[in-house]
Amino acid sequence: QKEVEQNSGPLSVPEGAIASLNCTYSDRGSQSFFWYRQYSGKSPELIMSIYSNGDKEDGRFTAQLNKASQYVSLLIRDSQPSDSATYLCAVILGNQFYFGTGTSLTVIP
Amino acid sequence: NAGVMQNPRHLVRRRGQEARLRCSPMKGHSHVYWYRQLPEEGLKFMVYLQKENIIDESGMPKERFSAEFPKEGPSILRIQQVVRGDSAAYFCASSPGVEAFFGQGTRLTVV
């Protein structure tokens, strides 16, 4: 089992809709969770971090963490075409950041 | 506060040559991670370093690859005797302890 698993997509949503991205992780000892956005040909950009159960909101982004279910999600409200990218979930375990393979999101105008 | 700086941005090497990739972390960051990414694939962990120490190199091939993060100067990822399979984007990320921020990457092409 991979440390971090994501549905690779692609996920398509219409402009203005809510995009929901999901991630599961294998180790209950993980304490720190992150979402990165990566545009094609660019480097990953940190958009959200979350460390405790519940929701964390930042603008149009909401990260949700459920440690009992080992589940992290990212909601993007009022999706814009500029949100079209690959979203990477990351978890710290030991000395490493483990990354999922990413979910490709396309927002259709 | 400048971001994580990687150079060169693009590097072309012939098979058998050496590639040196540099990463200058953000000011105040003492942790550096190196990742490799192939087209349409995820980020693969290579090595985690702190100043003058390799903390975890479990993701780095045992042969031809080495990394350092000296007391002064940038972190260096060195690939000796490059082969075509080494062609990839190499990203470094720096961290003050938890959150990690990526440089723009070095795209290595082996011809």
Coordinates of all heavy atoms in Angstrom, one line a residue, chain B residues 54-107:
Chain B
I54 N 23.5 14.4 6.0 CA 22.5 13.6 5.3 C 21.6 12.9 6.3 O 22.1 12.1 7.0 CB 23.1 12.7 4.3 CG1 23.9 13.4 3.2 CG2 22.0 11.8 3.6 CD1 24.7 12.5 2.3
I55 N 20.3 13.3 6.3 CA 19.4 12.7 7.3 C 18.8 11.4 6.8 O 18.6 10.4 7.5 CB 18.3 13.7 7.7 CG1 18.9 15.0 8.2 CG2 17.4 13.1 8.8 CD1 19.9 14.9 9.3
D56 N 18.4 11.4 5.5 CA 17.7 10.3 4.9 C 18.0 10.3 3.4 O 17.6 11.2 2.7 CB 16.2 10.4 5.2 CG 15.4 9.2 4.7 OD1 15.9 8.4 3.9 OD2 14.2 9.1 5.1
E57 N 18.7 9.3 2.9 CA 19.0 9.2 1.5 C 18.4 7.9 0.9 O 18.9 7.4 -0.1 CB 20.5 9.2 1.3 CG 21.3 8.2 2.0 CD 22.8 8.3 1.8 OE1 23.2 9.0 0.9 OE2 23.6 7.6 2.5
S58 N 17.3 7.4 1.5 CA 16.8 6.1 1.2 C 16.2 6.1 -0.2 O 16.0 5.1 -0.8 CB 15.7 5.7 2.2 OG 14.7 6.7 2.3
G59 N 15.9 7.3 -0.8 CA 15.3 7.4 -2.1 C 16.3 7.6 -3.2 O 15.9 7.7 -4.4
M60 N 17.5 7.7 -2.9 CA 18.6 8.0 -3.8 C 19.3 6.7 -4.3 O 19.7 5.9 -3.5 CB 19.6 9.0 -3.2 CG 20.4 9.7 -4.3 SD 21.0 11.3 -3.6 CE 22.1 10.7 -2.4
P61 N 19.4 6.5 -5.6 CA 20.2 5.4 -6.1 C 21.6 5.3 -5.4 O 22.2 6.3 -5.2 CB 20.3 5.6 -7.6 CG 19.1 6.5 -7.9 CD 19.0 7.4 -6.7
K62 N 22.0 4.1 -5.2 CA 23.3 3.9 -4.4 C 24.5 4.3 -5.3 O 25.5 4.8 -4.8 CB 23.4 2.5 -4.0 CG 22.4 2.0 -2.9 CD 22.8 2.6 -1.6 CE 21.9 2.1 -0.5 NZ 20.5 2.7 -0.5
E63 N 24.4 4.1 -6.6 CA 25.5 4.4 -7.4 C 25.2 5.7 -8.2 O 24.1 6.0 -8.6 CB 25.7 3.3 -8.4 CG 26.1 2.0 -7.7 CD 26.3 0.8 -8.6 OE1 26.2 1.0 -9.8 OE2 26.7 -0.3 -8.2
R64 N 26.2 6.4 -8.5 CA 26.3 7.6 -9.4 C 25.6 8.9 -8.8 O 25.9 10.0 -9.2 CB 25.6 7.3 -10.7 CG 26.2 6.2 -11.5 CD 25.7 6.1 -12.9 NE 24.2 5.9 -13.0 CZ 23.3 6.8 -13.3 NH1 23.7 8.0 -13.7 NH2 22.1 6.5 -13.4
F65 N 24.8 8.7 -7.8 CA 24.1 9.9 -7.2 C 24.7 10.2 -5.8 O 25.0 9.3 -5.0 CB 22.6 9.6 -7.0 CG 21.8 9.6 -8.3 CD1 21.9 8.6 -9.2 CD2 21.0 10.7 -8.6 CE1 21.2 8.6 -10.4 CE2 20.2 10.7 -9.8 CZ 20.3 9.6 -10.6
S66 N 24.9 11.5 -5.6 CA 25.3 12.0 -4.2 C 24.7 13.3 -4.0 O 24.4 14.1 -4.9 CB 26.8 12.0 -4.1 OG 27.4 12.9 -5.0
A67 N 24.7 13.7 -2.7 CA 24.1 15.0 -2.4 C 24.9 15.5 -1.2 O 25.4 14.8 -0.3 CB 22.6 14.9 -2.0
E68 N 24.9 16.8 -1.1 CA 25.6 17.5 0.1 C 24.9 18.8 0.4 O 24.3 19.4 -0.5 CB 27.1 17.7 -0.2 CG 27.4 18.6 -1.3 CD 28.9 18.9 -1.5 OE1 29.7 18.2 -0.9 OE2 29.2 19.8 -2.3
F69 N 25.0 19.3 1.6 CA 24.5 20.6 2.0 C 25.6 21.1 3.0 O 25.5 20.9 4.2 CB 23.2 20.4 2.7 CG 22.4 21.6 3.0 CD1 22.8 22.9 2.4 CD2 21.4 21.6 3.8 CE1 22.1 24.0 2.7 CE2 20.6 22.8 4.1 CZ 21.0 24.0 3.6
P70 N 26.5 21.8 2.4 CA 27.7 22.3 3.3 C 27.2 23.4 4.2 O 26.2 24.0 4.0 CB 28.7 22.7 2.2 CG 27.9 23.1 1.0 CD 26.7 22.2 1.0
K71 N 28.1 23.7 5.1 CA 27.9 24.7 6.1 C 27.6 26.1 5.4 O 26.8 26.9 5.8 CB 29.0 24.8 7.1 CG 28.8 25.8 8.2 CD 30.0 25.8 9.2 CE 29.8 26.8 10.3 NZ 30.9 26.8 11.2
E72 N 28.4 26.3 4.4 CA 28.3 27.5 3.6 C 28.0 27.1 2.1 O 28.6 26.2 1.6 CB 29.6 28.4 3.6 CG 30.0 28.8 5.0 CD 29.1 29.8 5.6 OE1 28.4 30.5 4.8 OE2 29.0 29.9 6.8
G73 N 27.1 27.8 1.5 CA 26.8 27.6 0.1 C 25.6 26.7 -0.1 O 24.9 26.2 0.8
P74 N 25.2 26.5 -1.4 CA 24.0 25.8 -1.7 C 24.1 24.3 -1.5 O 25.2 23.7 -1.3 CB 23.8 26.1 -3.2 CG 25.2 26.2 -3.7 CD 26.0 26.9 -2.6
S75 N 23.0 23.6 -1.5 CA 23.0 22.1 -1.5 C 23.2 21.7 -3.0 O 22.8 22.4 -3.9 CB 21.6 21.6 -1.1 OG 21.5 20.2 -1.2
I76 N 24.0 20.6 -3.1 CA 24.3 20.1 -4.5 C 23.9 18.7 -4.6 O 24.1 17.9 -3.7 CB 25.9 20.1 -4.7 CG1 26.5 21.5 -4.4 CG2 26.2 19.6 -6.1 CD1 26.2 22.5 -5.5
L77 N 23.2 18.5 -5.7 CA 22.9 17.1 -6.1 C 23.8 16.8 -7.3 O 23.7 17.5 -8.3 CB 21.4 16.9 -6.5 CG 20.9 15.5 -7.0 CD1 21.0 14.5 -5.8 CD2 19.5 15.6 -7.5
R78 N 24.5 15.7 -7.2 CA 25.5 15.4 -8.2 C 25.2 14.0 -8.8 O 24.9 13.1 -8.1 CB 26.9 15.3 -7.5 CG 28.1 15.0 -8.5 CD 29.3 15.0 -7.6 NE 30.5 14.6 -8.4 CZ 31.6 14.1 -7.9 NH1 31.7 13.8 -6.7 NH2 32.6 13.9 -8.7
I79 N 25.1 14.0 -10.1 CA 24.9 12.7 -10.8 C 26.1 12.5 -11.7 O 26.4 13.3 -12.6 CB 23.6 12.8 -11.7 CG1 22.4 13.4 -10.9 CG2 23.3 11.4 -12.2 CD1 21.2 13.6 -11.7
Q80 N 26.8 11.4 -11.4 CA 28.0 11.1 -12.2 C 27.5 10.1 -13.4 O 26.6 9.3 -13.2 CB 29.0 10.4 -11.4 CG 29.6 11.3 -10.3 CD 30.6 10.6 -9.4 OE1 30.2 9.7 -8.6 NE2 31.8 10.9 -9.5
Q81 N 28.3 10.2 -14.5 CA 28.1 9.3 -15.6 C 26.6 9.2 -16.0 O 26.1 8.1 -16.0 CB 28.7 7.9 -15.3 CG 30.2 8.0 -15.0 CD 30.8 6.6 -14.6 OE1 30.1 5.9 -13.9 NE2 32.0 6.4 -15.0
V82 N 26.0 10.3 -16.3 CA 24.6 10.3 -16.6 C 24.2 9.4 -17.7 O 25.0 9.1 -18.6 CB 24.1 11.7 -16.9 CG1 24.3 12.6 -15.7 CG2 24.7 12.3 -18.1
V83 N 23.0 8.8 -17.6 CA 22.4 8.0 -18.6 C 21.1 8.6 -19.0 O 20.5 9.5 -18.3 CB 22.2 6.5 -18.1 CG1 23.5 5.9 -17.7 CG2 21.2 6.5 -16.9
R84 N 20.5 8.1 -20.1 CA 19.3 8.7 -20.6 C 18.1 8.7 -19.6 O 17.3 9.5 -19.5 CB 18.8 8.1 -21.9 CG 19.7 8.4 -23.1 CD 18.9 8.6 -24.4 NE 19.7 9.2 -25.4 CZ 20.1 8.6 -26.5 NH1 19.7 7.4 -26.7 NH2 20.8 9.2 -27.4
G85 N 18.1 7.6 -18.8 CA 17.1 7.4 -17.8 C 17.1 8.5 -16.7 O 16.2 8.6 -15.9
D86 N 18.2 9.2 -16.6 CA 18.3 10.3 -15.6 C 17.6 11.6 -16.0 O 17.4 12.5 -15.2 CB 19.8 10.6 -15.3 CG 20.6 9.5 -14.7 OD1 20.0 8.6 -14.0 OD2 21.8 9.4 -15.0
S87 N 17.2 11.6 -17.3 CA 16.4 12.8 -17.8 C 15.1 12.9 -17.0 O 14.3 12.0 -17.0 CB 16.1 12.6 -19.3 OG 17.3 12.6 -20.0
A88 N 15.0 14.1 -16.4 CA 13.8 14.3 -15.5 C 13.9 15.7 -15.0 O 14.8 16.5 -15.3 CB 13.8 13.4 -14.3
A89 N 12.8 16.1 -14.3 CA 12.9 17.4 -13.5 C 13.3 17.1 -12.1 O 12.8 16.2 -11.5 CB 11.5 18.1 -13.6
Y90 N 14.2 17.8 -11.6 CA 14.7 17.7 -10.3 C 14.3 18.9 -9.5 O 14.7 20.0 -9.8 CB 16.2 17.5 -10.2 CG 16.6 16.1 -10.9 CD1 16.8 16.0 -12.2 CD2 16.9 15.0 -10.1 CE1 17.1 14.8 -12.8 CE2 17.2 13.8 -10.6 CZ 17.3 13.7 -12.0 OH 17.7 12.5 -12.6
F91 N 13.6 18.7 -8.4 CA 13.1 19.8 -7.6 C 13.8 19.7 -6.2 O 13.9 18.6 -5.6 CB 11.6 19.7 -7.4 CG 10.8 20.0 -8.6 CD1 10.2 19.0 -9.3 CD2 10.6 21.3 -9.1 CE1 9.5 19.2 -10.5 CE2 9.9 21.6 -10.2 CZ 9.3 20.5 -10.9
C92 N 14.1 20.8 -5.7 CA 14.5 20.8 -4.3 C 13.4 21.7 -3.5 O 12.8 22.5 -4.1 CB 15.9 21.4 -4.0 SG 16.1 23.1 -3.9
A93 N 13.3 21.3 -2.3 CA 12.4 22.1 -1.4 C 13.1 22.4 -0.1 O 13.9 21.6 0.4 CB 11.1 21.2 -1.1
S94 N 12.9 23.6 0.4 CA 13.5 23.9 1.7 C 12.4 24.1 2.8 O 11.3 24.4 2.4 CB 14.4 25.1 1.6 OG 13.7 26.3 1.6
S95 N 12.8 23.9 4.0 CA 11.8 24.0 5.1 C 12.5 24.5 6.3 O 13.7 24.2 6.6 CB 11.3 22.6 5.4 OG 10.5 22.6 6.5
P96 N 11.8 25.3 7.1 CA 12.3 25.8 8.4 C 12.1 24.7 9.5 O 12.6 24.8 10.6 CB 11.5 27.0 8.7 CG 10.2 26.7 8.0 CD 10.5 26.0 6.8
G97 N 11.3 23.7 9.1 CA 11.0 22.6 10.1 C 9.8 21.7 9.7 O 9.8 20.5 9.9
V98 N 8.8 22.4 9.1 CA 7.5 21.6 8.8 C 7.2 21.9 7.3 O 7.3 21.0 6.5 CB 6.4 21.9 9.8 CG1 5.2 21.1 9.4 CG2 6.8 21.7 11.2
E99 N 6.6 23.0 7.1 CA 6.2 23.3 5.7 C 7.4 23.4 4.8 O 8.4 24.0 5.1 CB 5.4 24.6 5.7 CG 4.1 24.5 6.4 CD 3.3 25.8 6.4 OE1 3.9 26.9 6.0 OE2 2.1 25.8 6.7
A100 N 7.2 22.9 3.6 CA 8.3 22.9 2.6 C 7.9 23.7 1.4 O 6.8 23.6 0.9 CB 8.7 21.4 2.2
F101 N 8.9 24.4 0.8 CA 8.6 25.3 -0.3 C 9.6 24.9 -1.4 O 10.8 24.7 -1.2 CB 8.9 26.7 0.1 CG 7.9 27.2 1.2 CD1 8.3 27.0 2.6 CD2 6.7 27.7 1.0 CE1 7.5 27.3 3.6 CE2 5.9 28.1 2.0 CZ 6.2 27.9 3.3
F102 N 9.1 24.8 -2.6 CA 9.8 24.3 -3.7 C 10.5 25.4 -4.5 O 10.0 26.5 -4.7 CB 8.9 23.5 -4.7 CG 8.6 22.1 -4.2 CD1 7.6 21.9 -3.2 CD2 9.4 21.0 -4.6 CE1 7.3 20.6 -2.8 CE2 9.1 19.7 -4.2 CZ 8.1 19.5 -3.2
G103 N 11.7 25.0 -5.1 CA 12.3 25.8 -6.1 C 11.7 25.5 -7.4 O 10.8 24.7 -7.6
Q104 N 12.1 26.2 -8.5 CA 11.5 26.1 -9.8 C 12.0 24.9 -10.5 O 11.5 24.6 -11.6 CB 11.8 27.4 -10.6 CG 11.0 28.6 -10.0 CD 11.2 29.8 -10.8 OE1 12.4 30.3 -11.1 NE2 10.2 30.4 -11.3
G105 N 13.0 24.2 -10.0 CA 13.4 22.9 -10.6 C 14.5 23.1 -11.6 O 14.7 24.2 -12.2
T106 N 15.2 22.0 -11.8 CA 16.2 21.9 -12.9 C 15.7 20.8 -13.8 O 15.5 19.6 -13.4 CB 17.6 21.6 -12.4 OG1 18.1 22.6 -11.6 CG2 18.6 21.3 -13.5
R107 N 15.6 21.1 -15.1 CA 15.2 20.1 -16.1 C 16.4 19.5 -16.7 O 17.1 20.3 -17.5 CB 14.2 20.6 -17.1 CG 12.8 20.6 -16.5 CD 12.0 21.9 -16.7 NE 10.7 21.8 -16.1 CZ 10.4 22.3 -14.9 NH1 11.4 22.9 -14.2 NH2 9.2 22.2 -14.4

